[in-house]
Amino acid sequence: MAIKIEQVKSVLLKNARVVDPQVKLDQITDILIEKDIIRKIGPVREFKGKTVDCKNKIVIPGMMDMHVHLREPGEEHKETVITGCHAAAAGGFTELACMPNTKPPIDCRSDVEFIKERAENHLVNVHPIAAVTIGQAGEQLTEMGDMIEAGAAGFSDDGKPVLTAALMRRALEYATMLGKPVIDHCEDLSLSESGVMHEGKISAVLGMPSIPSIAEEIIVARDLLIAEYTEGLLHLAHISTAGAVRLIREAKSRGVRVTAETCPHYLVLTDEAVRGFNTLTKMNPPLRSENDQKMLIRGLKDGTIDTIATDHAPHAIEDKECEFQVAAFGIIGLETAFGLIWTHLVEKKLLTLEELILKMSVHPRQILQLPENKIESGAPANLTLVDPDIMWTVDNTAFESKSKNMPFQDWKLKGKTFGVINRGKMILTV
Amino acid sequence: MQLKSRHLLGLEGVCQEDITLILDTAESFKKVLDRPIPKVPTLRGKTVANLFFEPSTRTRFSFELAEKRLSADSVNFSKVGSSVAKGETLKDTARNIEAMKINFVVMRHSAPGAPHFLSQCLDSVVINAGDGAHEHPTQALLDMMTLRNCFQSLKGLKVVIVGDIEHSRVARSNIYGLLTMGANVGVCGPATLIPREIKALGVTVYPGIEEAMKEADVLNVLRIQLERQKEALFPSLREYRNLFGITRERLDRVNRRITIMHPGPINRGVELDSDVADGDYSVILSQVTNGVAVRMAVLYLLDGGRQKLEGDDHGN
Amino acid sequence: MKVKCEIMDAKDITRTLNRLTHEILERNHGTDNLVIVGIRNRGDALAYRIIRRIEQIEGKTVPLGMLDITLYRDDFQRLTDRPILQETDIDVDITDKKLILVDDVLYSGRTIRSAMDALMDLGRPALIQLAVLIDRGHRQLPVKADYVGKNVPTSVNEQIQVKIKEKDGEDRVFLVEN
């Protein structure tokens, strides 16, 4: 499947169910788009331009994935800005934020500009997250102000935690002064050590070095205390444990300015999947227990967890076709996220369509202090087109991503996005 | 008869009939080993590659001897000086070995699941000779064979595994095998070396050695690795011996016969005192003899030709 | 499989074994150094009966050996199933002994070849003779029995089915067709 980007002169989305909880919109109607602007929401009788039949389809505000690894610069054999954007579009995302742990890391203005430039002409908006510390080495703060001017949307040393409490304190104080959050990868390295999977029954069975839940929770607790103390803007990436959910819930109830994300794989898989030593089930944080999964879903539901991000982590085949202990951490997720969430949460009534829109479209933009994206007449047309009923089978050979590493091959899913519209461009995938 | 699996990757999930078949077959091979010419032509023309990515003397010797006793040709590959050091992936190593038309691969590796991975890239039969802290199935089989020789049946037997359970493949394979055969299994060792959710495997956890010895018919004593001390998992060998060492005094205090096993090599005076290791209750040397017989049985039973029997040349 | 005809009944088998016993004793001038070795899984039962008969005739007990030839088979690579390994149980040192190898049916000769290899690994007998209840022909190796109960000409798609009381509950021999 090759992505085809069409320039929009004018396009009519006919008979769509248009849903946007931000403007309390949920009705079956037409949307007329001219260039990059929504001209009209309402019945359009006569129209000569391109029409997309959206009968039984849903149009939602364009989705955003705030946790993507694009691998450029440095590991272009795994992914590039362009292939990553293609994969995002194929998965229904119109915007993404990319993590700075490239080679070299994104830690100065020219690095941020490089990423922005690469994505300049794509439909997908790319918002670089820049490093908290130079070289992500955990020592010296980066020039955050300069990088925000160039387009950086937040700061993270993702791949690693912000190393010390003192550093976290300073980073939060400084980034918050500039209005951007610090995104932390919560992992106490002394506890996770050489671990490769969740510590629990399955790790006991497999005899594998493991990562206890508390490795995540201790840093979550540390960060929450620092955020409370500094009144900083804290975002916690890929939350995976019940204990972390509990800590965040409690902190939010006290008014700490914290937001949190989880990933589709933690919601649909548990450490049971690691039996058989499938390296495609290896990620960091690791797949957790059934109880953790239940608590993550509860956390999503009650607002403790604000967003679902993919942690799209492309790796070459040789990084995964090896012993479990040696294999790279991480899986790709852009092209399966919507289908997984729709099939395993929305269809099972664990999440409503409105909640999905909040978690996957509205909140990521709020967290990164980006302009809101509403479906309103006169607003920029930034939309995702959803076919809620289609049955499909995951096939990574048809993926846009350069990498194929994910454990969902051959999964039967219901619901898929079939198009995205943004920046006066449209991509339809069938 | 045939085993249900093509490979021997572990004992988890191996059924009672298969374990019994292996142990019964091993008894027959033990007789072969007592003959003036302790060798049979059964695997003539078959080639076994012994891939040892981790140092091992005993297991490798035992496998090699089993292979030679069955008249198979064997080639040895060990990490030192091999291409693994040059950064060749396990998959490439395996492929190269297969291109040499090898029938069996016996593998020892530090990563759990490495033989499982290998079995997916190869047509050869894969036998796990120890994968990290995961499994060491032939060791557990020889332990069970030794126990069957002492107690007739494993059903209802109380076996306590003592020592570093967390890092022990011997412990895990013994737990799976013994539970399948109807034995009761306990573990005992420093809390830092007992996996957090070990109870979920169906074993009893004994916090102290005295309590374990009160109930055990058998103590399978594991080797304590000095490295664990550096990882702050226990303070010293001296303290380990004080708390968990199997001494004559401790055995004397229990006025019951307790059979002592050890997978070797023994740290004498640490986990096991010499007079216990060499005493009447110790079956440690039978374990070694049984090791060769069990490995012969495994090779014999896994050497499945793919074709159906054409005609019937034997008997009639 | 279809039974074509009955070749021997219980009495026939007893008479034949009696004759074979006499022949063995005659040819070997008594029981000195004699060891009777039966090939599992029916030859061992026949061997045992021969020994009982010798006791009746000579008043002496000759050692019995039981041989499992599984590990010496030449068709190993062609089998999908591993045959269950039975024990070879020969308590005497066979070196310089006169071995009488006993089996139920002689066919291709491959079993006997395997049996001889197995025996050679156990020692160096003075001689080996072969006694079989039925010789059905179709030899693939140059093997000849010294004592034959009955010669039964067969076609290749026929089989001889020997039933022995100790294993099968009755003493009968059938010719069956595949």
Side-chain angles (χ1 to χ4, degrees), chain A residues 8 26 46-47 49 94 98 118 139 146 150 153 184 212 221-222 279 286 297 317 387 396 398 423 429:
Chain A
V8 175
D26 185 349
E46 290 199 8
F47 179 71
T94 59
C98 60
R118 285 279 154 155
E139 285 163 14
D146 202 21
D184 203 12
R222 177 199 81 175
T279 56
I297 294 171
I317 289 175
D387 182 343
N396 62 7
R423 302 171 89 182
T429 51

PDB file of all heavy atoms in Angstrom, chain A residues 8 26 46-47 49 94 98 118 139 146 150 153 184 212 221-222 279 286 297 317 387 396 398 423 429:
ATOM      1  N   VAL A   8      -6.062  19.200  -1.291  1.00  0.00           N
ATOM      2  CA  VAL A   8      -7.498  19.446  -1.229  1.00  0.00           C
ATOM      3  C   VAL A   8      -7.792  20.830  -1.794  1.00  0.00           C
ATOM      4  O   VAL A   8      -7.264  21.827  -1.305  1.00  0.00           O
ATOM      5  CB  VAL A   8      -7.995  19.376   0.231  1.00  0.00           C
ATOM      6  CG1 VAL A   8      -9.462  19.763   0.313  1.00  0.00           C
ATOM      7  CG2 VAL A   8      -7.762  17.993   0.790  1.00  0.00           C
ATOM      8  N   ASP A  26     -22.505  15.638  17.831  1.00  0.00           N
ATOM      9  CA  ASP A  26     -22.634  14.237  17.441  1.00  0.00           C
ATOM     10  C   ASP A  26     -23.856  14.123  16.554  1.00  0.00           C
ATOM     11  O   ASP A  26     -24.976  13.943  17.021  1.00  0.00           O
ATOM     12  CB  ASP A  26     -22.770  13.328  18.674  1.00  0.00           C
ATOM     13  CG  ASP A  26     -22.772  11.851  18.295  1.00  0.00           C
ATOM     14  OD1 ASP A  26     -22.872  11.535  17.074  1.00  0.00           O
ATOM     15  OD2 ASP A  26     -22.687  11.004  19.200  1.00  0.00           O
ATOM     16  N   GLU A  46     -25.879  20.551  -3.510  1.00  0.00           N
ATOM     17  CA  GLU A  46     -25.221  20.477  -4.817  1.00  0.00           C
ATOM     18  C   GLU A  46     -23.745  20.732  -4.664  1.00  0.00           C
ATOM     19  O   GLU A  46     -23.335  21.739  -4.117  1.00  0.00           O
ATOM     20  CB  GLU A  46     -25.856  21.501  -5.767  1.00  0.00           C
ATOM     21  CG  GLU A  46     -27.245  21.081  -6.133  1.00  0.00           C
ATOM     22  CD  GLU A  46     -27.749  21.780  -7.383  1.00  0.00           C
ATOM     23  OE1 GLU A  46     -26.950  22.485  -8.046  1.00  0.00           O
ATOM     24  OE2 GLU A  46     -28.932  21.605  -7.676  1.00  0.00           O
ATOM     25  N   PHE A  47     -22.974  19.775  -5.139  1.00  0.00           N
ATOM     26  CA  PHE A  47     -21.532  19.926  -4.990  1.00  0.00           C
ATOM     27  C   PHE A  47     -20.853  19.185  -6.133  1.00  0.00           C
ATOM     28  O   PHE A  47     -21.189  18.046  -6.448  1.00  0.00           O
ATOM     29  CB  PHE A  47     -21.083  19.333  -3.639  1.00  0.00           C
ATOM     30  CG  PHE A  47     -19.608  19.426  -3.423  1.00  0.00           C
ATOM     31  CD1 PHE A  47     -18.998  20.663  -3.184  1.00  0.00           C
ATOM     32  CD2 PHE A  47     -18.805  18.291  -3.483  1.00  0.00           C
ATOM     33  CE1 PHE A  47     -17.629  20.743  -2.987  1.00  0.00           C
ATOM     34  CE2 PHE A  47     -17.439  18.374  -3.290  1.00  0.00           C
ATOM     35  CZ  PHE A  47     -16.847  19.606  -3.034  1.00  0.00           C
ATOM     36  N   GLY A  49     -17.289  19.063  -6.627  1.00  0.00           N
ATOM     37  CA  GLY A  49     -15.907  18.598  -6.356  1.00  0.00           C
ATOM     38  C   GLY A  49     -15.858  17.168  -5.849  1.00  0.00           C
ATOM     39  O   GLY A  49     -16.816  16.399  -6.001  1.00  0.00           O
ATOM     40  N   THR A  94      -3.055  12.649  12.591  1.00  0.00           N
ATOM     41  CA  THR A  94      -2.710  13.832  11.809  1.00  0.00           C
ATOM     42  C   THR A  94      -1.570  14.615  12.454  1.00  0.00           C
ATOM     43  O   THR A  94      -1.020  15.523  11.853  1.00  0.00           O
ATOM     44  CB  THR A  94      -3.919  14.764  11.663  1.00  0.00           C
ATOM     45  OG1 THR A  94      -4.355  15.139  12.975  1.00  0.00           O
ATOM     46  CG2 THR A  94      -5.052  14.085  10.916  1.00  0.00           C
ATOM     47  N   CYS A  98       7.556  13.531  18.459  1.00  0.00           N
ATOM     48  CA  CYS A  98       8.584  12.502  18.349  1.00  0.00           C
ATOM     49  C   CYS A  98       9.642  12.705  19.428  1.00  0.00           C
ATOM     50  O   CYS A  98       9.975  13.821  19.814  1.00  0.00           O
ATOM     51  CB  CYS A  98       9.190  12.492  16.959  1.00  0.00           C
ATOM     52  SG  CYS A  98       9.958  14.029  16.492  1.00  0.00           S
ATOM     53  N   ARG A 118      12.145  18.271   7.798  1.00  0.00           N
ATOM     54  CA  ARG A 118      11.864  16.988   7.157  1.00  0.00           C
ATOM     55  C   ARG A 118      10.374  16.770   6.959  1.00  0.00           C
ATOM     56  O   ARG A 118       9.945  16.168   5.986  1.00  0.00           O
ATOM     57  CB  ARG A 118      12.404  15.843   8.024  1.00  0.00           C
ATOM     58  CG  ARG A 118      13.887  15.682   7.978  1.00  0.00           C
ATOM     59  CD  ARG A 118      14.289  14.925   6.739  1.00  0.00           C
ATOM     60  NE  ARG A 118      15.625  15.288   6.381  1.00  0.00           N
ATOM     61  CZ  ARG A 118      16.438  14.516   5.675  1.00  0.00           C
ATOM     62  NH1 ARG A 118      16.031  13.327   5.266  1.00  0.00           N
ATOM     63  NH2 ARG A 118      17.633  14.919   5.378  1.00  0.00           N
ATOM     64  N   GLU A 139      23.036  15.469  32.733  1.00  0.00           N
ATOM     65  CA  GLU A 139      23.892  16.398  33.463  1.00  0.00           C
ATOM     66  C   GLU A 139      23.461  17.847  33.282  1.00  0.00           C
ATOM     67  O   GLU A 139      22.976  18.488  34.211  1.00  0.00           O
ATOM     68  CB  GLU A 139      25.354  16.197  33.045  1.00  0.00           C
ATOM     69  CG  GLU A 139      25.941  14.935  33.671  1.00  0.00           C
ATOM     70  CD  GLU A 139      27.222  14.465  32.992  1.00  0.00           C
ATOM     71  OE1 GLU A 139      27.793  15.258  32.206  1.00  0.00           O
ATOM     72  OE2 GLU A 139      27.613  13.321  33.236  1.00  0.00           O
ATOM     73  N   ASP A 146      15.283  28.306  23.319  1.00  0.00           N
ATOM     74  CA  ASP A 146      15.679  28.370  21.911  1.00  0.00           C
ATOM     75  C   ASP A 146      14.962  27.287  21.111  1.00  0.00           C
ATOM     76  O   ASP A 146      14.475  27.502  20.007  1.00  0.00           O
ATOM     77  CB  ASP A 146      17.202  28.158  21.834  1.00  0.00           C
ATOM     78  CG  ASP A 146      17.795  28.713  20.547  1.00  0.00           C
ATOM     79  OD1 ASP A 146      17.137  29.584  19.921  1.00  0.00           O
ATOM     80  OD2 ASP A 146      18.898  28.271  20.185  1.00  0.00           O
ATOM     81  N   ALA A 150      11.989  27.113  18.010  1.00  0.00           N
ATOM     82  CA  ALA A 150      12.137  26.378  16.756  1.00  0.00           C
ATOM     83  C   ALA A 150      11.039  25.337  16.575  1.00  0.00           C
ATOM     84  O   ALA A 150      10.939  24.708  15.526  1.00  0.00           O
ATOM     85  CB  ALA A 150      13.508  25.681  16.721  1.00  0.00           C
ATOM     86  N   ALA A 153       7.995  20.842  21.443  1.00  0.00           N
ATOM     87  CA  ALA A 153       6.696  20.850  22.114  1.00  0.00           C
ATOM     88  C   ALA A 153       6.781  20.398  23.566  1.00  0.00           C
ATOM     89  O   ALA A 153       5.802  20.460  24.307  1.00  0.00           O
ATOM     90  CB  ALA A 153       5.731  19.953  21.357  1.00  0.00           C
ATOM     91  N   ASP A 184       8.486  12.364  31.578  1.00  0.00           N
ATOM     92  CA  ASP A 184       9.485  11.444  32.144  1.00  0.00           C
ATOM     93  C   ASP A 184       9.166   9.993  31.836  1.00  0.00           C
ATOM     94  O   ASP A 184       8.009   9.569  31.799  1.00  0.00           O
ATOM     95  CB  ASP A 184       9.610  11.642  33.668  1.00  0.00           C
ATOM     96  CG  ASP A 184      10.979  11.156  34.188  1.00  0.00           C
ATOM     97  OD1 ASP A 184      11.867  10.892  33.334  1.00  0.00           O
ATOM     98  OD2 ASP A 184      11.157  11.047  35.412  1.00  0.00           O
ATOM     99  N   PRO A 212      10.608  -5.061  38.410  1.00  0.00           N
ATOM    100  CA  PRO A 212       9.448  -5.002  39.299  1.00  0.00           C
ATOM    101  C   PRO A 212       8.611  -3.753  39.039  1.00  0.00           C
ATOM    102  O   PRO A 212       9.113  -2.758  38.515  1.00  0.00           O
ATOM    103  CB  PRO A 212      10.086  -4.949  40.692  1.00  0.00           C
ATOM    104  CG  PRO A 212      11.435  -4.370  40.474  1.00  0.00           C
ATOM    105  CD  PRO A 212      11.874  -4.792  39.101  1.00  0.00           C
ATOM    106  N   ALA A 221       6.471   8.338  41.937  1.00  0.00           N
ATOM    107  CA  ALA A 221       6.282   8.999  43.228  1.00  0.00           C
ATOM    108  C   ALA A 221       7.238  10.180  43.382  1.00  0.00           C
ATOM    109  O   ALA A 221       6.844  11.274  43.794  1.00  0.00           O
ATOM    110  CB  ALA A 221       6.498   7.983  44.358  1.00  0.00           C
ATOM    111  N   ARG A 222       8.490   9.954  43.000  1.00  0.00           N
ATOM    112  CA  ARG A 222       9.496  11.027  43.086  1.00  0.00           C
ATOM    113  C   ARG A 222       9.054  12.221  42.252  1.00  0.00           C
ATOM    114  O   ARG A 222       9.021  13.366  42.729  1.00  0.00           O
ATOM    115  CB  ARG A 222      10.839  10.494  42.559  1.00  0.00           C
ATOM    116  CG  ARG A 222      11.951  11.517  42.528  1.00  0.00           C
ATOM    117  CD  ARG A 222      13.108  11.110  41.605  1.00  0.00           C
ATOM    118  NE  ARG A 222      12.809  11.413  40.198  1.00  0.00           N
ATOM    119  CZ  ARG A 222      13.683  11.242  39.200  1.00  0.00           C
ATOM    120  NH1 ARG A 222      14.894  10.759  39.443  1.00  0.00           N
ATOM    121  NH2 ARG A 222      13.343  11.530  37.960  1.00  0.00           N
ATOM    122  N   THR A 279      10.165 -12.228  21.148  1.00  0.00           N
ATOM    123  CA  THR A 279      10.853 -10.955  21.403  1.00  0.00           C
ATOM    124  C   THR A 279       9.978  -9.756  21.024  1.00  0.00           C
ATOM    125  O   THR A 279      10.276  -8.637  21.414  1.00  0.00           O
ATOM    126  CB  THR A 279      12.169 -10.860  20.621  1.00  0.00           C
ATOM    127  OG1 THR A 279      11.877 -11.059  19.229  1.00  0.00           O
ATOM    128  CG2 THR A 279      13.160 -11.903  21.076  1.00  0.00           C
ATOM    129  N   PRO A 286       7.743  -3.136  30.711  1.00  0.00           N
ATOM    130  CA  PRO A 286       7.327  -4.421  30.167  1.00  0.00           C
ATOM    131  C   PRO A 286       5.816  -4.631  30.263  1.00  0.00           C
ATOM    132  O   PRO A 286       5.146  -3.911  30.999  1.00  0.00           O
ATOM    133  CB  PRO A 286       8.043  -5.407  31.092  1.00  0.00           C
ATOM    134  CG  PRO A 286       8.137  -4.689  32.389  1.00  0.00           C
ATOM    135  CD  PRO A 286       8.320  -3.241  32.055  1.00  0.00           C
ATOM    136  N   ILE A 297      -7.053   0.437  32.723  1.00  0.00           N
ATOM    137  CA  ILE A 297      -8.328   0.720  32.058  1.00  0.00           C
ATOM    138  C   ILE A 297      -9.217   1.558  32.986  1.00  0.00           C
ATOM    139  O   ILE A 297      -9.835   2.537  32.558  1.00  0.00           O
ATOM    140  CB  ILE A 297      -9.019  -0.590  31.615  1.00  0.00           C
ATOM    141  CG1 ILE A 297      -8.167  -1.256  30.524  1.00  0.00           C
ATOM    142  CG2 ILE A 297     -10.433  -0.329  31.113  1.00  0.00           C
ATOM    143  CD1 ILE A 297      -8.588  -2.650  30.125  1.00  0.00           C
ATOM    144  N   ILE A 317      14.824  -6.034  11.910  1.00  0.00           N
ATOM    145  CA  ILE A 317      14.544  -7.462  12.144  1.00  0.00           C
ATOM    146  C   ILE A 317      15.622  -8.094  13.012  1.00  0.00           C
ATOM    147  O   ILE A 317      15.331  -8.821  13.954  1.00  0.00           O
ATOM    148  CB  ILE A 317      14.447  -8.203  10.797  1.00  0.00           C
ATOM    149  CG1 ILE A 317      13.174  -7.800  10.072  1.00  0.00           C
ATOM    150  CG2 ILE A 317      14.466  -9.717  11.011  1.00  0.00           C
ATOM    151  CD1 ILE A 317      13.036  -8.370   8.679  1.00  0.00           C
ATOM    152  N   ASP A 387     -13.901   4.078   9.995  1.00  0.00           N
ATOM    153  CA  ASP A 387     -14.889   3.062   9.620  1.00  0.00           C
ATOM    154  C   ASP A 387     -15.036   2.136  10.819  1.00  0.00           C
ATOM    155  O   ASP A 387     -14.164   1.292  11.072  1.00  0.00           O
ATOM    156  CB  ASP A 387     -14.411   2.288   8.380  1.00  0.00           C
ATOM    157  CG  ASP A 387     -15.454   1.264   7.947  1.00  0.00           C
ATOM    158  OD1 ASP A 387     -16.347   0.936   8.756  1.00  0.00           O
ATOM    159  OD2 ASP A 387     -15.364   0.794   6.799  1.00  0.00           O
ATOM    160  N   ASN A 396       1.599  -6.859   8.839  1.00  0.00           N
ATOM    161  CA  ASN A 396       2.685  -5.874   8.864  1.00  0.00           C
ATOM    162  C   ASN A 396       3.403  -5.741   7.522  1.00  0.00           C
ATOM    163  O   ASN A 396       4.147  -4.796   7.319  1.00  0.00           O
ATOM    164  CB  ASN A 396       3.665  -6.147  10.017  1.00  0.00           C
ATOM    165  CG  ASN A 396       4.354  -7.493   9.903  1.00  0.00           C
ATOM    166  OD1 ASN A 396       4.216  -8.193   8.898  1.00  0.00           O
ATOM    167  ND2 ASN A 396       5.099  -7.859  10.933  1.00  0.00           N
ATOM    168  N   ALA A 398       1.959  -4.969   4.954  1.00  0.00           N
ATOM    169  CA  ALA A 398       1.281  -3.855   4.292  1.00  0.00           C
ATOM    170  C   ALA A 398       1.500  -2.531   5.028  1.00  0.00           C
ATOM    171  O   ALA A 398       0.926  -1.514   4.665  1.00  0.00           O
ATOM    172  CB  ALA A 398      -0.217  -4.158   4.198  1.00  0.00           C
ATOM    173  N   ARG A 423      -3.817  20.203   6.959  1.00  0.00           N
ATOM    174  CA  ARG A 423      -2.936  21.117   6.225  1.00  0.00           C
ATOM    175  C   ARG A 423      -3.255  21.169   4.732  1.00  0.00           C
ATOM    176  O   ARG A 423      -2.366  21.204   3.877  1.00  0.00           O
ATOM    177  CB  ARG A 423      -1.470  20.703   6.399  1.00  0.00           C
ATOM    178  CG  ARG A 423      -1.067  20.675   7.862  1.00  0.00           C
ATOM    179  CD  ARG A 423       0.295  20.072   8.053  1.00  0.00           C
ATOM    180  NE  ARG A 423       1.352  21.062   7.968  1.00  0.00           N
ATOM    181  CZ  ARG A 423       2.638  20.780   8.068  1.00  0.00           C
ATOM    182  NH1 ARG A 423       3.024  19.522   8.262  1.00  0.00           N
ATOM    183  NH2 ARG A 423       3.536  21.725   7.974  1.00  0.00           N
ATOM    184  N   THR A 429      -7.004   5.841   2.762  1.00  0.00           N
ATOM    185  CA  THR A 429      -6.468   4.465   2.692  1.00  0.00           C
ATOM    186  C   THR A 429      -7.670   3.560   2.672  1.00  0.00           C
ATOM    187  O   THR A 429      -8.649   3.811   3.363  1.00  0.00           O
ATOM    188  CB  THR A 429      -5.612   4.155   3.920  1.00  0.00           C
ATOM    189  OG1 THR A 429      -6.361   4.484   5.084  1.00  0.00           O
ATOM    190  CG2 THR A 429      -4.318   4.925   3.907  1.00  0.00           C
TER     191      THR A 429
END
